[in-house]
Amino acid sequence: FHTLFMLQVENVKLLDRYTNRKAANGTLYLTATHLIYVDASAEVRKETWILHHHIATVEKLPLTTAGYPLLIHCKNFHVAHFVIGQERDCHEVYTSLLKLSQPVKPEELYAFSYNPKMSKENREIGWKLIDLKVDYQRMGIPNNYWEITDVNKDYEVCNTYPPEIVVPRAANKAVVVGSSRFRSRGRIPVLSYLYKGNNAAICRCSQPLSGFSARCLEDEQMLQAIREANPGSPFMYVVDTRPKLNAMANRAAGKGYENEDNYDNIRFKFIGIENIHVMRNSLQKLLEVCEMKSPSMSDFLTGLENSGWLRHIKAVMDAGVFLAKAVKDEKASVLVHCSDGWDRTAQVCSLASLLLDPFYRTFKGFMVLIEKEWIAMGHKFSHRCGHLDGDPKEVSPVFTQFVECVWQLMQQFPCTFEFNERFLLEIHDHVYSCQFGNFLGTCHKEREDLKICEKTHSLWPFLLQKKQELRNPLYRGFTAYKELQPNTLPFSFQFWCGMYNRFDKGMHPKQCVLDHLLSCMSQKMKLEDNASELENKLPFLDGPLPSEACSLSKVGCAASKTPMLNTPQDYEGEPPPVLSNGTSAGDIDVTSDVDQKYKENLSHHRDLHDLNDAIDVLDSEAKDGKPQHH
Amino acid sequence: MLRSSQPLMGPNRKRCREDEVLLGTVLDEGERGFIIDTRSAQAAKQARMTGGGTEPKSSYPQWRRLHRPLERGRPLQESFIKLVEACNDPLINMDRWLSRLESCRWLSHVKAALSTACLAAQCMDREEASVLVHGAEGTDTTLLVTALAQVILDPSCRTLAGFQGLLEREWIEAGHPFHLRCARSAYSHARLKQEAPLFLLFLDCVWQLSRQFPFSLEFGERLLLTLFDNAYASAYGTFLCNNVKERRVGREVGTALCLCKVKESTHSLWAWLNQPGEKKKYLNPLYSHNALVIWPSVEPQSIQLWQGLFFRWIRSSQYLDEAWAEIQRLVEGN
């Protein structure tokens, strides 16, 4: 890392839900890009790195006996609770972090200064790794019904679409342009995915500017062209992913949804997924639940339900499932939109593609999916992820929800993805990190203007390089599973501890199966390499086979699983009262010696000690019979 | 670690010298022990009115008493029934699912059981102190705690053979009344007074441990499901009757004496399970001997609903089975 520190502060403690005020003292460093906390007190030096771009909020908490607390919430759900010895230092860190975490201009983003040792050629090759045209070819496009058109090459039709889009051959330029005037932000219906099995297509667009009664001949022709591109079905679905009420309200603003009477042979359907504001609030509530210290089972389940988070995940999943079923089972094309067609539409179309096509469950395929349905099609990453100091009401975890839907699918179908959970977490991290240029800006045109391909690096080669850690050892291959039909009953949606409590290591299984299986795989590969080397030597030997060759087949997985040393948490029960700013009463009460947080390997448990006194009270002739406080 | 039933203190605070001496002999001079009473302090105090009670500090000075109320009896059975109803409800709404799960409180009971077992284990492993566990009768929550604590503390209890031995010792011979407790299960409307799923709660806790320490148990989920099945209805005599006496001598059924003679008249579940052909189905392909104590996390995020049991007949396990087959393949290296 940069050896030049902007700031260095001693006497800093890092607290977590398991340590108490007596945490060790460490040093905090600020570089141009990161916050680094080093704890050199134990035998093993421990470093905690936080990227400035990942910081969502920094708060100063009220003074405690231990010092001046600073609470940092990150966009990847890391919560860091520092306590700094000196107030002056705390204030300096606070103001520095506020500035460093809220860049104003795109040029300030990390991607423009990130400079790994890589040749210019390799950097360019990195950008060319994903070619959407290849994916369309894979779908069979161009074909009789669909073509890749460059009508938008100068962004004249739609300035948030890419220069090349796929439309029905039957839709000529007049139809395309006419339709673009009838669609919010010019986001005309274009192809998202073509199901080769039966010509049914998933298309996407934005809401029509229909108001209460407006019509547009070209838009109607556009939908007709899409429908007729699938001669196998007499009708097509038009799916509005908004709740009906919201869509209706939009009519008053001159927008709205398709009137079945005006469009031939469409079946219109609402699938209510809530808007970005509801999702933002839902996530906020979820994170509050995740941060609760020692909640009871009831607190947790009630809080989880009240956040509504899993309900929204299910809504997105249900929509994806509906699309996949319509295409595969009913052989009908589907046109999807929300309001602007870049949030819920992106979620639903990419999810449906994943369900239908095993290619998108491979490394390469998933990258293509994101490049196509999210990046190219203009999901406003910069706004939704708060890359720059901007409107907080634009921030919303839309991409997070999509990633979670993929994770939910991984839980139900453990052998069906080529990659593992860590791949998802890395992508999610980098959507917010701005270390790579893929997710900067809001659309293709803006990235072109920012000269992303010339000035920044692509995420994909970086991830592919780490493929060995990010792969799924249980992947059964491309052909093992075709379409996925997930169970969408409420109980099928699990709380993703690895994402929302990712950094609370104590909560996760204490032994990592993934690492073990990955090492089994790499061992197996090494052994197989050895075996083929030895086999190649065989014809040249006279005499009996070398003993190594025979014993190879018997060698199982000898990967060492070093016994993990783990320590008990606080099993006591009653949590310390938590104040609304997240601190616990124990921190503030200077005179109390009640220390209710987790202790390390001490020979004397406070918990048991205090209870001695309580028991004395019980045994005495107390008449009020108060229940004991545990 | 010791277990017993409650001392019969009664409303007059009777003492029993022999009992005090007995507990006194367990501890050395100056040593202290812990009594974990699985009833609330309130309930323990009220038990005196019906002849029971707790160990007063004055009579047992070296012992510190801790109360960790664990649910048992009718309320636990209701919890189980409500959970099964919720899982089976075809109309269950996403808006209500978690609150229904919460209201049946099953997972709270799992958390409480694990916490208490961990506390007992902590007393022994960290405090190096002896522990006496009891509730009222010593046949339900007591056994839950002592058995679980041993799985946590003792690697030999985590082997297939050791776990069977633990079950024999801490549940079957210790006198958990299986016949009464595992009578009709969750679907029956009978709602028998003595029915309660303590053994299932134990199996659920063991399942939680297997999830948190996937390498540390020699057996897998399939064994736990098989045990659950056989506790309620079995071709084998292992879980029959309520205690050793009944198994040997017989029990009164109505007015007739029923001679069980379990050993002579039935086959043992263990004999069947341990046959080489059967045994391999129950082994955990990831098992690797772990000599250390396994301390589970009892945070709500760490405790999950045992889907393999509660959704066993509702959702196919095909994809998970395929995953386990892959794990087996990978680990065996062929």
Side-chain angles (χ1 to χ4, degrees):
Chain A
F1 58 83
H2 309 256
T3 48
L4 208 63
F5 303 127
M6 289 167 56
L7 196 58
Q8 176 175 342
V9 179
E10 306 289 343
N11 287 329
V12 179
K13 297 191 199 325
L14 175 57
L15 308 186
D16 63 32
R17 63 174 65 233
Y18 303 111
T19 59
N20 52 21
R21 285 172 293 163
K22 299 188 183 69
N25 267 325
T27 310
L28 193 66
Y29 301 90
L30 291 189
T31 72
T33 51
H34 290 81
L35 174 161
I36 307 165
Y37 176 76
V38 180
D39 173 3
S41 64
E43 262 179 44
V44 182
R45 174 191 164 100
K46 195 167 175 296
E47 288 183 8
T48 305
W49 287 56
I50 298 177
L51 188 62
H52 295 318
H53 284 326
H54 271 163
I55 296 175
T57 62
V58 194
E59 297 163 66
K60 280 186 182 175
L61 299 180
L63 166 65
T64 71
T65 46
Y68 298 84
L70 211 57
L71 188 63
I72 299 173
H73 282 89
C74 295
K75 297 171 186 174
N76 64 353
F77 316 122
H78 191 175
V79 180
H81 186 167
F82 292 108
V83 180
I84 301 175
Q86 306 277 24
E87 185 185 17
R88 198 191 43 220
D89 290 334
C90 179
H91 187 70
E92 210 179 339
V93 173
Y94 173 72
T95 47
S96 304
L97 287 178
L98 277 183
K99 187 167 181 299
L100 289 163
S101 65
Q102 286 166 3
V104 173
K105 296 193 306 260
E107 292 75 24
E108 296 175 56
L109 294 171
Y110 189 13
F112 292 101
S113 59
Y114 171 63
N115 190 13
K117 290 184 176 57
M118 192 186 289
S119 69
K120 188 162 172 287
E121 290 78 37
N122 281 343
R123 197 184 56 77
E124 278 169 19
I125 289 170
W127 279 110
K128 297 201 170 75
L129 205 65
I130 305 294
D131 182 351
L132 299 185
K133 269 221 188 72
V134 173
D135 196 45
Y136 291 127
Q137 272 166 22
R138 196 185 60 86
M139 293 181 217
I141 296 167
N143 63 16
N144 291 336
Y145 296 110
W146 298 94
E147 61 176 1
I148 306 176
T149 172
D150 65 354
V151 70
N152 196 41
K153 69 179 182 325
D154 294 317
Y155 308 103
E156 282 174 4
V157 171
C158 172
N159 63 0
T160 55
Y161 270 177
E164 285 176 336
I165 46 181
V166 178
V167 296
R169 247 183 228 289
N172 61 29
K173 184 164 179 184
V175 167
V176 168
V177 172
S179 175
S180 78
R181 298 204 182 101
F182 194 64
R183 291 279 164 182
S184 174
R185 304 188 196 274
R187 292 173 67 88
I188 54 162
V190 295
L191 182 96
S192 164
Y193 179 71
L194 179 63
Y195 188 65
K196 272 174 97 171
N198 59 25
N199 281 320
I202 298 176
C203 296
R204 55 183 291 182
C205 60
S206 60
Q207 64 183 323
L209 303 175
S210 51
F212 288 100
S213 59
R215 290 181 71 157
C216 169
L217 179 65
E218 290 88 351
D219 193 74
E220 290 164 29
Q221 287 171 337
M222 186 62 151
L223 265 66
Q224 181 180 4
I226 293 174
R227 181 174 51 76
E228 289 175 352
N230 179 17
S233 176
F235 72 96
M236 74 181 243
Y237 281 108
V238 174
V239 172
D240 188 331
T241 58
R242 299 170 293 182
K244 183 168 181 179
L245 231 57
N246 298 28
M248 284 171 64
N250 266 285
R251 286 194 300 183
K255 302 179 211 175
Y257 54 94
E258 293 80 353
N259 185 338
E260 260 178 357
D261 296 334
N262 298 343
Y263 293 84
D264 287 337
N265 299 314
I266 69 164
R267 275 192 208 166
F268 184 84
K269 199 174 152 64
F270 282 111
I271 295 184
I273 302 174
E274 301 288 351
N275 65 33
I276 56 168
H277 309 294
V278 172
M279 300 312 191
R280 185 178 55 250
N281 291 329
S282 176
L283 179 64
Q284 181 57 37
K285 291 212 186 98
L286 176 71
L287 296 175
E288 283 166 18
V289 172
C290 297
E291 277 181 70
M292 293 196 291
K293 304 259 188 289
S294 309
S296 69
M297 204 70 216
S298 286
D299 291 336
F300 178 73
L301 291 172
T302 307
L304 187 56
E305 184 163 84
N306 288 344
S307 76
W309 183 256
L310 291 177
R311 177 162 58 85
H312 300 311
I313 296 294
K314 175 174 155 63
V316 175
M317 187 76 89
D318 282 340
V321 167
F322 176 82
L323 255 61
K325 274 213 183 96
V327 162
K328 175 169 179 296
D329 296 342
E330 292 185 78
K331 309 187 193 335
S333 291
V334 190
L335 174 64
V336 189
H337 69 77
C338 43
S339 295
D340 294 317
W342 49 41
D343 292 313
R344 290 164 277 197
T345 303
Q347 291 174 324
V348 166
C349 289
S350 45
L351 197 55
S353 303
L354 255 178
L355 292 172
L356 287 167
D357 193 332
F359 172 64
Y360 297 120
R361 299 175 220 137
T362 62
F363 274 102
K364 194 83 183 292
F366 196 68
M367 296 172 178
V368 166
L369 188 66
I370 294 178
E371 280 284 341
K372 187 159 62 85
E373 297 301 325
W374 291 88
I375 297 174
M377 295 304 289
H379 174 74
K380 302 194 297 177
F381 279 102
S382 179
H383 294 183
R384 295 286 177 264
C385 304
H387 289 167
L388 301 173
D389 196 16
D391 183 359
K393 291 219 160 28
E394 284 285 303
V395 173
S396 189
V398 178
F399 187 72
T400 308
Q401 287 182 326
F402 164 68
V403 169
E404 176 162 349
C405 286
V406 180
W407 180 82
Q408 298 284 353
L409 288 174
M410 281 181 178
Q411 302 319 293
Q412 289 199 36
F413 305 99
C415 303
T416 195
F417 288 86
E418 192 184 15
F419 45 84
N420 65 36
E421 178 187 65
R422 288 182 196 156
F423 182 63
L424 296 180
L425 292 173
E426 286 250 8
I427 293 176
H428 189 264
D429 273 351
H430 285 300
V431 162
Y432 288 93
S433 77
C434 302
Q435 183 175 336
F436 300 94
N438 311 64
F439 305 101
L440 301 189
T442 60
C443 61
H444 196 279
K445 180 171 186 299
E446 192 178 338
R447 281 184 278 273
E448 226 173 52
D449 294 340
L450 288 171
K451 298 193 171 42
I452 298 291
C453 290
E454 291 143 52
K455 295 186 176 175
T456 71
H457 292 259
S458 168
L459 172 64
W460 309 127
F462 175 80
L463 288 182
L464 282 174
Q465 213 192 335
K466 298 170 134 191
K467 206 170 173 178
Q468 293 317 313
E469 309 160 32
L470 304 177
R471 60 195 302 194
N472 174 13
L474 303 181
Y475 181 52
R476 286 179 65 214
F478 192 80
T479 51
Y481 302 90
K482 292 254 164 14
E483 295 83 20
L484 299 182
Q485 290 180 321
N487 185 308
T488 55
L489 290 174
F491 62 77
S492 295
F493 295 92
Q494 303 195 27
F495 168 73
W496 190 0
C497 195
M499 170 71 108
Y500 305 108
N501 276 114
R502 181 173 171 192
F503 300 93
D504 289 302
K505 292 299 176 196
M507 281 186 193
H508 306 291
K510 303 290 201 308
Q511 298 173 316
C512 184
V513 177
L514 180 58
D515 283 334
H516 176 62
L517 295 177
L518 286 175
S519 83
C520 282
M521 283 185 88
S522 67
Q523 266 223 327
K524 198 172 93 148
M525 285 191 329
K526 257 195 283 191
L527 291 171
E528 280 168 357
D529 286 345
N530 285 355
S532 36
E533 254 183 67
L534 289 167
E535 274 169 2
N536 290 337
K537 290 184 188 156
L538 283 178
F540 303 118
L541 289 173
D542 285 341
L545 292 168
S547 55
E548 297 100 290
C550 296
S551 62
L552 273 170
S553 57
K554 295 200 199 91
V555 175
C557 187
S560 68
K561 287 165 281 212
T562 48
M564 97 270 112
L565 193 71
N566 75 319
T567 44
Q569 64 167 91
D570 180 356
Y571 293 111
E572 272 313 294
E574 205 61 61
V578 177
L579 305 182
S580 57
N581 62 6
T583 55
S584 97
D587 285 339
I588 288 183
D589 185 359
V590 174
T591 54
S592 160
D593 61 359
V594 171
D595 184 339
Q596 298 192 342
K597 301 225 179 154
Y598 172 70
K599 273 189 168 60
E600 312 227 276
N601 189 3
L602 297 179
S603 61
H604 188 61
H605 279 258
R606 186 279 319 165
D607 335 291
L608 304 171
H609 186 65
D610 278 357
L611 284 156
N612 294 339
D613 308 311
I615 286 157
D616 287 337
V617 170
L618 266 181
D619 283 348
S620 69
E621 298 297 308
K623 290 194 173 65
D624 52 9
K626 276 213 205 92
Q628 181 186 13
H629 171 75
H630 294 182
Chain B
M1 185 157 55
L2 308 157
R3 51 175 158 79
S4 68
S5 56
Q6 64 179 322
L8 299 176
M9 204 188 182
N12 300 324
R13 297 170 181 277
K14 276 190 299 191
R15 284 181 71 163
C16 171
R17 303 269 177 236
E18 291 89 339
D19 193 76
E20 290 165 30
V21 167
L22 180 59
L23 281 185
T25 57
V26 172
L27 300 176
D28 286 339
E29 187 80 40
E31 254 188 7
R32 67 170 181 171
F34 292 96
I35 298 174
I36 295 180
D37 189 327
T38 59
R39 302 166 294 176
S40 67
Q42 184 90 318
K45 207 166 166 201
Q46 276 166 2
R48 280 171 31 202
M49 300 310 142
T50 47
T54 55
E55 296 82 349
K57 186 150 177 216
S58 46
S59 317
Y60 301 85
Q62 286 172 277
W63 294 88
R64 298 282 176 273
R65 187 157 35 94
L66 307 171
H67 286 271
R68 288 290 175 275
L70 294 179
E71 195 68 273
R72 77 204 68 203
R74 286 295 295 280
L76 190 66
Q77 182 70 8
E78 286 303 318
S79 172
F80 176 40
I81 291 172
K82 277 176 89 171
L83 175 60
V84 171
E85 265 172 11
C87 293
N88 280 282
D89 185 353
L91 301 173
I92 187 78
N93 192 306
M94 190 70 200
D95 289 332
R96 299 270 176 277
W97 161 244
L98 290 172
S99 47
R100 245 180 110 172
L101 187 58
E102 187 276 325
S103 75
C104 67
R105 299 194 52 75
W106 181 259
L107 293 177
S108 303
H109 300 320
V110 171
K111 179 170 159 44
L114 278 171
S115 300
T116 308
C118 285
L119 183 64
Q122 254 178 327
C123 293
M124 298 184 71
D125 183 72
R126 300 273 148 155
E127 299 290 309
E128 297 184 345
S130 294
V131 176
L132 167 65
V133 184
H134 71 74
E137 301 304 301
T139 54
D140 293 275
T141 53
T142 303
L143 306 181
L144 176 59
V145 173
T146 57
L148 255 184
Q150 288 175 62
V151 177
I152 288 167
L153 285 167
D154 189 347
S156 68
C157 290
R158 298 182 221 132
T159 62
L160 183 56
F163 190 67
Q164 290 172 37
L166 178 73
L167 294 174
E168 270 288 329
R169 218 170 47 243
E170 295 300 311
W171 285 92
I172 296 172
E173 286 179 6
H176 178 69
F178 279 98
H179 181 79
L180 291 170
R181 298 285 180 266
C182 301
R184 304 288 178 85
S185 192
Y187 289 135
S188 166
H189 295 289
R191 302 290 218 272
L192 300 175
K193 255 202 336 213
Q194 290 278 5
E195 178 145 22
L198 273 311
F199 187 59
L200 171 58
L201 186 54
F202 167 71
L203 295 175
D204 195 326
C205 290
V206 175
W207 181 80
Q208 304 290 341
L209 289 173
S210 76
R211 221 187 56 84
Q212 295 197 28
F213 299 92
F215 300 121
S216 298
L217 300 182
E218 196 186 15
F219 48 90
E221 183 181 55
R222 188 161 172 175
L223 178 71
L224 301 175
L225 291 172
T226 303
L227 291 169
F228 168 69
D229 289 341
N230 280 275
Y232 282 88
S234 181
Y236 302 91
T238 306
F239 289 105
L240 285 181
C241 303
N242 290 308
N243 50 54
V244 175
K245 180 178 175 192
E246 284 186 15
R247 286 178 203 114
R248 284 201 199 133
V249 169
R251 35 189 296 276
E252 301 272 341
V253 177
T255 50
L257 180 66
C258 163
L259 290 167
C260 275
K261 294 206 191 142
V262 164
K263 279 213 171 97
E264 293 90 327
S265 333
T266 68
H267 293 273
S268 157
L269 177 65
W270 311 133
W272 172 65
L273 278 181
N274 289 317
Q275 293 172 96
E278 269 303 300
K279 187 172 169 176
K280 62 183 183 207
K281 299 181 197 168
Y282 302 103
L283 294 174
N284 170 15
L286 294 170
Y287 177 63
S288 166
H289 174 77
N290 176 3
L292 302 173
V293 176
I294 54 174
W295 299 109
S297 159
V298 295
E299 305 273 5
Q301 290 91 325
S302 308
I303 296 174
Q304 282 190 8
L305 182 59
W306 185 5
Q307 300 219 349
L309 180 94
F310 293 104
F311 297 109
R312 194 173 175 191
W313 312 112
I314 298 171
R315 186 176 75 185
S316 164
S317 63
Q318 173 196 349
Y319 302 106
L320 294 172
D321 294 340
E322 283 168 5
W324 276 108
E326 276 305 302
I327 291 175
Q328 186 112 23
R329 217 181 46 81
L330 260 179
V331 168
E332 283 166 9
N334 60 9

